[in-house]
């Protein structure tokens, strides 16, 4: 009995040291975009992260319909600036309909920053009654110098949709409408 109690106490003391995030408190990547905009408007779309994590690897992209939105500009956010001790890339590659982000942190300290990763401006072309703005995270992991393989960090993704109307009007940021767990099933926000 004493041995079992000692084992339970040791196990409980080790729990805070675990690097795996639980689903309830896991990091969240999300898109902030206007709920509606008119053809000809320029809209701002932000991709951000919140929650507690420590990551050495992040490979993600924001996908959009280039028949409905025309890329205008891109600005790095505080999360990418916090990755200055490693390598942080954020770019719109050629005429592909996505914006790519790549972070690789060197050493034992990973990135822990919350907030905006990047902000992009698009001109609304029409060509559709709405456009989905979808985050795709292909790698998000913990990999300090002493490790040989990365531990995947559990996270959620919240995408957004932009409704397009025929004439000009103001566009304001609204929260993302859906939550996508890493497995891909969708549930209401």
């Amino acid at each position: 009995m004493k041995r079992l109690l000692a084992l339970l106490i040791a196990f409980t003391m080790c729990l805070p040291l675990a690097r795996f995030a639980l689903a309830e408190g896991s990091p969240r990547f999300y898109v902030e975009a206007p709920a509606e905009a008119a053809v000809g408007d320029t809209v701002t779309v932000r991709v951000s992260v919140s929650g507690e994590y420590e990551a050495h690897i992040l490979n993600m992209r924001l996908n959009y319909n280039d028949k409905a939105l025309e890329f205008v500009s891109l600005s790095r956010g505080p999360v990418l600036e916090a990755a200055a001790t490693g390598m942080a890339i954020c770019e719109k590659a050629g005429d592909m309909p996505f914006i790519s982000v790549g972070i690789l942190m060197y050493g034992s300290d990973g990135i822990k920053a919350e907030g905006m990763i990047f902000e992009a401006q698009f001109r609304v072309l029409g060509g559709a009654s709405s456009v989905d703005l979808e985050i795709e995270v292909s790698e998000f992991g913990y990999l300090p110098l002493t490790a040989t393989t990365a531990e995947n960090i559990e996270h959620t993704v919240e995408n957004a949709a932009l409704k397009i109307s025929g004439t000009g009007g103001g566009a304001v940021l609204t929260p993302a409408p859906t939550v996508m767990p890493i497995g891909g099933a969708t549930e209401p926000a």
Side-chain angles (χ1 to χ4, degrees):
M1 184 67 173
K2 286 182 182 182
R3 186 176 277 170
L4 178 60
L5 183 59
L7 183 60
L8 285 173
I9 290 172
F11 177 75
T12 304
M13 291 175 64
C14 290
L15 280 177
L17 302 176
R19 295 280 184 190
F20 294 107
L22 300 175
E24 186 176 296
S26 64
R28 172 179 73 111
F29 294 96
Y30 58 98
V31 179
E32 293 178 290
E36 187 172 347
V39 173
D41 284 352
T42 298
V43 296
T44 299
V45 174
R46 291 186 184 112
V47 173
S48 301
V49 63
S50 65
E52 290 186 31
Y53 68 95
E54 181 177 2
H56 295 85
I57 300 168
L58 173 61
N59 186 2
M60 67 176 288
R61 66 188 199 183
L62 173 69
N63 299 307
Y64 65 93
N65 179 344
D66 61 351
K67 307 242 184 307
L69 297 176
E70 176 184 42
F71 174 77
V72 175
S73 66
L74 181 63
S75 307
R76 295 165 63 99
V79 172
L80 288 171
E81 298 305 322
T85 59
M87 180 175 25
I89 299 169
C90 182
E91 66 181 6
K92 165 71 174 83
D95 52 350
M96 303 301 288
F98 57 83
I99 296 170
S100 297
V101 172
I103 296 176
L104 178 60
M105 298 298 292
Y106 309 119
S108 55
D109 291 333
I111 188 168
K112 301 173 187 176
E114 291 185 83
M116 185 176 69
I117 300 170
F118 69 86
E119 177 178 274
Q121 284 73 42
F122 296 94
R123 190 170 355 279
V124 180
L125 302 174
S129 59
S130 70
V131 61
D132 293 325
L133 300 159
E134 299 178 339
I135 298 172
E136 180 182 328
V137 179
S138 56
E139 289 181 283
F140 186 45
Y142 176 76
L143 181 64
L145 273 177
T146 57
T148 56
T149 58
E151 294 176 23
N152 188 47
I153 300 172
E154 187 177 331
H155 60 279
T156 58
V157 171
E158 294 180 18
N159 297 315
L162 170 66
K163 183 178 175 186
I164 299 173
S165 61
T167 57
V172 293
L173 290 174
T174 57
T178 60
V179 176
M180 286 186 82
I182 197 168
T186 303
E187 60 185 69

